[in-house]
Amino acid sequence: MALAGAQGRLDIAVVGAGRVGPVVGAALRAAGHRVVGVAARSQDAAERVEALLPGVRWIPVVQAFAADLVVLAVPDDVLGPLVAESVPHVRAGQLVAHTSGLHGTAVLSPAAAAGALPLALHPAMTFTGTSLDLARLPGAAVAVTVSPVLLPIAEALVREWGATPVVVAEADRPLYHAALAHGANHLVTLVAQALAALRPVLHGSGEDDPAAAVLRPLLTAALDNALAAGDAALTGPVARGDAGTVARHLEVLRARADGATATTYAQLARAATDRALASGRLSPAVAQAVTAALQPGGEDTP
């Protein structure tokens, strides 16, 4: 049984050739396990797989379930149907893990009913699908959702990636994943909008991307401060209650940037105002003035 073998080395199959699966496979291979194959609907990512798992062969999904541990690294919406289709090939006692952030082990229930040992292991990091990710795994957190009896195995596997296991309850997985997506994915959109707005006004700095050079130290400090102090790290015109400045920002963003950037600014400034009011950073009167500046026509706020 795979459960007994988990104390030693496992034969592992990876289902999914996106950015996550080959990296996880490479991390487990580096820990001494044997990756026996990669299964995917297409071989468009052959170059990625060969770079991360040289010499590992492509196999059908059916053959993946001959392994001791099957790692399902597929999109959230694909996972449930894939598990249902794979039930006839599941072997009793084998470990079946997925890397979805949204799902816990409930999505693996059909496989568990066939005798599989279900693990939900989600690395809380952004993947590039390259060897850079292997250097980022150490120290990264991995959300672990498993039954108590399987927790030692799940934690051992995560530590073999070089990562840190963090237990998340089944019912909490959607909120966990929403928080990560809101923080990481929307941060990318926010930064991309700031870069696009800043680039036209920077000239002659000698940098390949002067906007990135200007924003990098500012955003790095802001992120570090926010992680350390939360709302108390807020600076800028909202934190100061400078309604006129906020109105001027919206005016120039509407005139010289794209409309989506102005909309994002207004939405986030409104959220920041609400949180500053709730935490006592702003008085009700000042918060009302800032909120008024965020309304259509707010540019005329004195």
Side-chain angles (χ1 to χ4, degrees), residues 135-214:
R136 293 170 178 163
L137 267 175
V142 174
V144 173
T145 304
V146 293
S147 66
V149 71
L150 293 178
L151 183 58
I153 293 175
E155 290 183 332
L157 286 170
V158 169
R159 290 195 175 98
E160 286 188 327
W161 300 356
T164 302
V166 178
V167 176
V168 177
E170 179 82 26
D172 293 334
R173 291 287 287 219
L175 179 58
Y176 155 82
H177 194 230
L180 265 60
H182 183 47
N185 303 155
H186 298 162
L187 176 63
V188 172
T189 301
L190 173 64
V191 173
Q193 288 182 338
L195 286 168
L198 189 57
R199 282 179 179 130
V201 304
L202 298 178
H203 309 284
S205 69
E207 296 283 347
D208 291 338
D209 187 350
V214 169

Side-chain angles (χ1 to χ4, degrees), residues 128-142:
T128 64
T130 69
S131 60
L132 291 174
D133 299 330
L134 293 173
R136 293 170 178 163
L137 267 175
V142 174

